[in-house]
Every structure is written in C-alpha cells, then in structure tokens.
C-alpha cells in the first residue's frame, strides 16, 4: 500500500549509506559549558573538530539509531499493509450485510449518525476505495 507522503523514504538507500559509512572509532571529549571535541580516525589519519555536546551525541548515536529506525519503519509498514489487507476484506464484506437505515447514514429519524457507516466510509477513504459516501455513508442496499 502506498503512503500519502509526498516524498517516500528510500529505506534501502538509507541502509546502504549506513553500511557504506566508515565504521569509525569516534573519540569524544566533553568540556564544561556544553562543548565537545570529536576526533574521527580512519586509515591512519585523524580529524578533530570542536562541536556542541548535543551535536557530538548525534554523531555518536546516529550510527546505531539510523539502522534501528529503518528496521522499525519496515516493521510498521508491514503491519500497516497487513491491517490494510484485512480492512479491505471487511469493507468488501460490509456491502453484503443487511445493514440498512430508514435515512441514509442515520440510525433512525432522530438524525444521529450511524457510527458503523462512518467508520466504513473512513476506511474506504483511507484505502482509496471508490464508493465512500459523504456524510456518514448511505443505504447499504445500494452497494
């Protein structure tokens, strides 16, 4: 199922950048006042720079945080897709049930909305299924 985000994250590319990055030894020396000296060493060379302590924390933790976040996004996408699949089946079956109203989308003549109709209309809209009826659904005999 495609998300509604305008820009999708390329999780494979993020993972590839994490794997390709130098598995650096990073030495951080913290100073009073919130600063830190970050020393990055690789291939016999060393580069050091003074940064804010919060930036140093980000540099150090990003190496493990990014792969963890990518894995969690993949888990959530798989869960979302499984739920969407189940919800599609429920929405398809809803049209075959005997769920009728005297007035479309209302319980009775008192004007209260049918929450079941509303929930199924929301599901149809979120799943991109045609036939979502405005204003809390409609008479399901027409489906």
């Amino acid at each position: 199922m495609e998300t509604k985000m305008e820009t999708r994250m390329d999780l494979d590319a993020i993972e590839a950048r994490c794997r390709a990055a130098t598995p650096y030894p990073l030495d951080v020396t913290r100073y009073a006042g919130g600063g830190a000296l970050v020393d990055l060493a690789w291939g016999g060379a060393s580069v050091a720079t003074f940064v804010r302590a919060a930036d140093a924390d980000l540099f150090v933790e990003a190496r493990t945080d990014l792969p963890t976040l990518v894995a969690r996004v993949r888990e959530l996408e798989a869960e979302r897709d499984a739920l969407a699949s189940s919800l599609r089946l429920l929405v398809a079956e809803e049209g075959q049930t005997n769920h009728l109203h005297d007035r479309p989308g209302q319980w009775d003549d008192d004007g209260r909305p049918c929450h079941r109709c509303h929930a199924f209309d929301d599901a149809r809209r979120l799943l991109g299924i045609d036939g979502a009826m405005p204003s809390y659904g409609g008479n399901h005999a027409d489906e």
Side-chain angles (χ1 to χ4, degrees):
M1 181 176 143
E2 191 70 22
T3 68
K4 295 187 187 228
M5 292 175 53
E6 285 185 30
T7 305
R8 287 192 47 92
M9 288 186 294
D10 186 344
L11 298 178
D12 293 333
I14 294 170
E15 282 181 325
R17 285 191 296 272
C18 290
R19 283 191 306 274
T22 302
Y24 49 84
L26 193 59
D27 184 34
V28 177
T29 306
R30 297 183 188 288
Y31 295 97
L37 182 67
V38 177
D39 188 7
L40 172 63
W42 76 96
S46 178
V47 175
T49 188
F50 191 76
V51 298
R52 294 179 331 128
D55 293 333
D57 292 341
L58 179 64
F59 299 155
V60 170
E61 299 301 328
R63 191 86 171 129
T64 54
D65 287 350
L66 282 171
T68 301
L69 284 170
V70 167
R72 184 63 179 141
V73 168
R74 289 190 191 281
E75 288 173 12
L76 292 171
E77 286 180 340
E79 288 176 20
R80 177 208 57 211
D81 291 346
L83 287 169
S85 178
S86 295
L87 191 54
R88 283 183 191 280
L89 290 174
L90 289 173
V91 168
E93 291 173 4
E94 173 65 8
Q96 301 167 14
T97 64
N98 189 18
H99 183 74
L100 304 174
H101 302 288
D102 292 336
R103 298 182 111 179
Q106 295 179 0
W107 275 115
D108 289 310
D109 289 332
D110 66 1
R112 288 182 299 149
C114 173
H115 297 291
R116 182 176 176 184
C117 289
H118 179 66
F120 275 98
D121 285 346
D122 279 349
R124 286 183 190 95
R125 181 181 48 78
L126 291 169
L127 292 168
I129 297 173
D130 289 335
M133 296 174 223
S135 186
Y136 297 101
N139 189 330
H140 294 280
D142 296 337
E143 292 184 18

